[in-house]
Amino acid sequence: MSTAEETGGENMPWGEVTPDAARRLLIAAVEAFAERGYHATTTRDIAGRAGMSPAALYIHYKTKEELLHKISTIGHTKALAILESAADGPGSAADRLVEAVRSFVVWHAGQATTARVVQYELDALGEEHRAEVVLLRRRCDAAVRRILSDGVDAGEFEVPDVSGTTLAVLSLCIDVARWFSLDGRWTPDEVGAMYADLVLRMVGAGAPGPQN
Amino acid sequence: MSTAEETGGENMPWGEVTPDAARRLLIAAVEAFAERGYHATTTRDIAGRAGMSPAALYIHYKTKEELLHKISTIGHTKALAILESAADGPGSAADRLVEAVRSFVVWHAGQATTARVVQYELDALGEEHRAEVVLLRRRCDAAVRRILSDGVDAGEFEVPDVSGTTLAVLSLCIDVARWFSLDGRWTPDEVGAMYADLVLRMVGAGAPGPQN
């Protein structure tokens, strides 16, 4: 799939990475990891994709794992910001859940290549870096769980297993990165709206079935 | 994660592969692809894991891609059998949907390593082999879509977008292979039961919320 939408344009998802050479290397690493996998990619491949020498790469990143750590940290920090912003937002628990699912899906669809690297290469991180990322993931989980618990407490939601449903909601959104294609039948916004509706139903706050 | 549960025991998921040497090589390939990715794995690695020489591997498989094709075909054929068996089964649309989700989840949880290779390495297949697998995937999709359409026609389900909901149901089950761990808090059967309940809610046939 094309990554043009992810690596340029108005969103500038790696805009926080400076200088420019460090950002170009990071974008090249995301593309290489997504195409060939972390273990099949060398720092030489990454430098080549960025039009730079291995020595120039080494100025910015000492190891390949450092690149993955940076990608994973930025990706997870963004995911967490999306979910916490929704959890802290205005409105009912249902409003906040809709916003969490919609924005999390749009991110996974719009940045599918990055999201796949972030989600599938966790095991390749060094132990300490992996522990850091696991903490960010727990906070993502906590943000969604908080919305569900608030909805249950307010009588808006009917959820027998809040932990399990939290996991299912996040899982449904994350897997968008696996199947979503910009050439497919839906836009990221359309998937976000459809999934928000499905998740409201999962928590017992959606449209009732004809038999209810 | 350990793959002992997948590669031995009563289930014998690769029992259809004979002779024994060909089966051992296939199991070694699944483990290597899951650990290091397809592109980082050589046929020499696979032969070594199986305790065989590269020449012995070549008797059974001419290329690494042939191994992936075999793994992917067997995996997708099994997934399709599970879903078609549920779609053709007895009972109401809700009963059949519960059975489809339950058995598909149990397979993805119990065979998570295989399922990850099957789901994440599709792009590494050669063009012709990929087209074959895409046909199997379309039939998986059709089996679930048939259950949903039957439920809508019978007035059991209320589903605004049958194609989108079919995709979401399959996606939710497939992503179990990413996060499921045999050391985790749930058994495959528990996840299967929980997910069947969540999917019934998604189609408007689950427990109504307190506000309904």
Side-chain angles (χ1 to χ4, degrees):
Chain A
M1 69 171 270
S2 163
T3 58
E5 292 76 2
E6 306 187 26
T7 52
E10 290 177 51
N11 288 333
M12 281 296 281
W14 304 107
E16 63 271 66
V17 182
T18 56
D20 182 61
R23 182 168 55 246
R24 275 164 47 214
L25 286 162
L26 210 72
I27 292 168
V30 169
E31 290 174 356
F33 294 159
E35 262 181 48
R36 305 267 305 165
Y38 176 81
H39 294 292
T41 300
T42 64
T43 49
R44 181 173 290 272
D45 295 334
I46 296 166
R49 274 179 188 258
M52 292 164 63
S53 69
L57 180 144
Y58 189 73
I59 295 170
H60 301 285
Y61 305 100
K62 292 293 171 257
T63 63
K64 182 172 71 161
E65 196 270 348
E66 187 180 333
L67 275 155
L68 180 62
H69 176 232
K70 186 106 183 171
I71 292 163
S72 192
T73 302
I74 293 175
H76 279 92
T77 302
K78 177 67 183 163
L80 179 61
I82 286 169
L83 294 173
E84 289 194 333
S85 165
D88 296 337
S92 65
D95 293 336
R96 290 151 63 209
L97 185 57
V98 164
E99 175 56 18
V101 170
R102 192 200 59 71
S103 52
F104 202 50
V105 163
V106 166
W107 186 75
H108 278 87
Q111 318 292 327
T113 306
T114 300
R116 277 181 228 168
V117 171
V118 164
Q119 298 293 349
Y120 301 158
E121 299 285 11
L122 269 184
D123 287 341
L125 288 171
E127 198 173 338
E128 202 175 319
H129 289 163
R130 189 152 190 270
E132 270 177 43
V133 168
V134 166
L135 284 181
L136 289 171
R137 292 174 78 87
R138 290 216 183 113
R139 290 175 59 195
C140 288
D141 195 86
V144 173
R145 192 186 299 120
R146 176 151 58 93
I147 302 175
L148 296 195
S149 298
D150 288 351
V152 169
D153 291 346
E156 285 183 66
F157 300 163
E158 194 272 311
V159 179
D161 182 336
V162 169
S163 291
T165 306
T166 297
L167 174 64
V169 169
L170 286 167
S171 173
L172 185 68
C173 298
I174 286 169
D175 196 54
V176 169
R178 181 183 56 81
W179 63 261
F180 186 81
S181 160
L182 287 162
D183 309 322
R185 60 184 292 182
W186 291 290
T187 65
D189 284 335
E190 285 166 349
V191 180
M194 181 171 73
Y195 271 40
D197 174 65
L198 289 171
V199 167
L200 281 183
R201 288 164 170 241
M202 283 165 66
V203 300
Q211 70 190 13
N212 295 331
Chain B
M1 69 172 267
S2 163
T3 59
E5 293 76 3
E6 305 187 26
T7 52
E10 291 176 51
N11 288 335
M12 281 295 282
W14 305 107
E16 63 271 65
V17 182
T18 57
D20 181 61
R23 181 170 56 246
R24 275 162 49 213
L25 287 161
L26 209 72
I27 292 168
V30 169
E31 290 174 357
F33 294 159
E35 263 181 47
R36 304 268 306 163
Y38 176 81
H39 294 291
T41 300
T42 63
T43 49
R44 181 173 290 272
D45 297 333
I46 296 166
R49 275 180 187 256
M52 292 163 63
S53 69
L57 181 144
Y58 189 72
I59 294 170
H60 301 285
Y61 304 101
K62 293 292 169 260
T63 63
K64 181 172 71 161
E65 197 270 347
E66 188 181 333
L67 274 156
L68 180 62
H69 176 231
K70 186 106 184 171
I71 293 163
S72 193
T73 302
I74 293 175
H76 278 92
T77 302
K78 178 67 184 165
L80 179 60
I82 287 169
L83 294 172
E84 288 194 335
S85 166
D88 295 338
S92 65
D95 294 335
R96 291 151 62 209
L97 185 58
V98 164
E99 176 54 19
V101 170
R102 191 200 59 73
S103 52
F104 202 52
V105 163
V106 167
W107 186 75
H108 277 87
Q111 318 293 328
T113 307
T114 300
R116 278 181 228 168
V117 172
V118 163
Q119 298 294 347
Y120 301 157
E121 297 287 11
L122 270 183
D123 286 342
L125 288 171
E127 198 172 338
E128 202 175 318
H129 289 163
R130 190 151 189 272
E132 270 176 44
V133 168
V134 165
L135 283 182
L136 289 172
R137 292 173 78 86
R138 289 214 184 115
R139 289 175 59 195
C140 288
D141 194 87
V144 174
R145 193 186 299 119
R146 176 152 58 93
I147 303 175
L148 296 195
S149 297
D150 288 351
V152 169
D153 292 347
E156 284 183 67
F157 299 163
E158 195 273 308
V159 179
D161 182 336
V162 169
S163 291
T165 305
T166 297
L167 173 64
V169 169
L170 285 167
S171 172
L172 185 67
C173 297
I174 287 169
D175 195 54
V176 169
R178 180 184 57 82
W179 63 261
F180 186 81
S181 159
L182 287 163
D183 309 323
R185 61 184 293 182
W186 291 290
T187 65
D189 283 335
E190 285 167 348
V191 180
M194 181 171 75
Y195 271 39
D197 173 66
L198 289 171
V199 167
L200 281 183
R201 289 164 170 240
M202 282 166 65
V203 300
Q211 71 189 9
N212 294 332

